[in-house]
Amino acid sequence: MQMNLANKLTMMRVVLIPVFLIVLLSPLVAEPFSRYIAVAIFVVASITDFLDGYIARSRNMVSNFGKFMDPLADKLLVCSALVAMVELNDLPAWVVIIILSREFAITGFRTLAMEANIVMAASWWGKIKTTTQMIMIIVVLLNINSMQMIEWVLITLATFFTIVSGVDYIVKNKNVLKG
């Protein structure tokens, strides 16, 4: 299979995940530099999320591989960051459990839909959820003392949009459950 540019960007995001985690969690680079480097890697990976979708749609490069890998790469990136942030005591575990539970539930829901030949379109709630989660991760990882209130607002918003987008997917696609 020939990899188009959009799919290469998606795969670049996947490759950046272990690099991000090694830099963030490794004792080889002292804090706060490890956080700053990790945030830069996370930002680059997050930008590829926007770019791969834009390029795929604008250049007619949408592929089955991309439809499968793009959301998976997003989930791997965000979930990896969240679990690492629990390890660093940056996030309470309950926030990560809510976000991970939603991701697993909707992935299972999408699997049921695919088996029933039902297409579950991405919603704006899901895009808002992903964007909010990525911004929250960046701000919390930067660990700037004067931004603690902003961190908690972003954590609350990310959790809220995670729940709302999950409910939205299920309500809009409840016919999947009838299968």
Side-chain angles (χ1 to χ4, degrees):
M1 174 179 84
Q2 184 73 21
M3 293 284 277
N4 63 37
L5 178 59
N7 291 341
K8 288 178 183 176
L9 287 170
T10 299
M11 292 310 298
M12 183 176 124
R13 186 162 62 256
V14 172
V15 169
L16 286 174
I17 295 167
V19 177
F20 162 77
L21 291 171
I22 289 167
V23 170
L24 182 62
L25 299 174
S26 172
L28 299 176
V29 182
E31 278 203 38
F33 302 110
S34 61
R35 285 179 179 265
Y36 300 152
I37 296 166
V39 165
I41 294 166
F42 187 86
V43 167
V44 168
S46 297
I47 289 170
T48 67
D49 179 32
F50 167 76
L51 285 177
D52 63 5
Y54 174 77
I55 289 169
R57 286 185 299 277
S58 68
R59 297 185 183 177
N60 199 24
M61 293 181 177
V62 175
S63 67
N64 286 336
F65 178 83
K67 288 179 192 176
F68 172 76
M69 276 307 295
D70 179 58
L72 180 60
D74 296 343
K75 286 172 183 32
L76 290 171
L77 176 65
V78 169
C79 292
S80 297
L82 295 173
V83 171
M85 292 167 74
V86 170
E87 171 73 17
L88 296 169
N89 293 316
D90 286 346
L91 276 180
W94 66 266
V95 169
V96 177
I97 290 167
I98 288 171
I99 293 171
L100 291 176
S101 296
R102 183 263 186 216
E103 298 306 337
F104 280 115
I106 297 305
T107 298
F109 204 68
R110 282 182 174 275
T111 302
L112 288 174
M114 283 185 348
E115 288 177 0
N117 291 320
I118 298 171
V119 176
M120 286 179 55
S123 75
W124 280 104
W125 286 115
K127 293 180 187 312
I128 292 168
K129 177 241 353 156
T130 301
T131 302
T132 307
Q133 288 174 352
M134 288 178 171
I135 292 169
M136 180 264 301
I137 289 166
I138 292 164
V139 171
V140 172
L141 280 178
L142 287 173
N143 199 26
I144 299 170
N145 288 334
S146 62
M147 295 183 69
Q148 289 176 330
M149 180 59 84
I150 294 171
E151 288 179 11
W152 276 105
V153 168
L154 287 169
I155 291 167
T156 302
L157 286 173
T159 305
F160 172 77
F161 288 127
T162 296
I163 294 166
V164 168
S165 67
V167 170
D168 179 63
Y169 268 116
I170 292 169
V171 168
K172 284 183 178 172
N173 298 286
K174 60 184 174 254
N175 56 331
V176 170
L177 298 174
K178 294 176 184 173

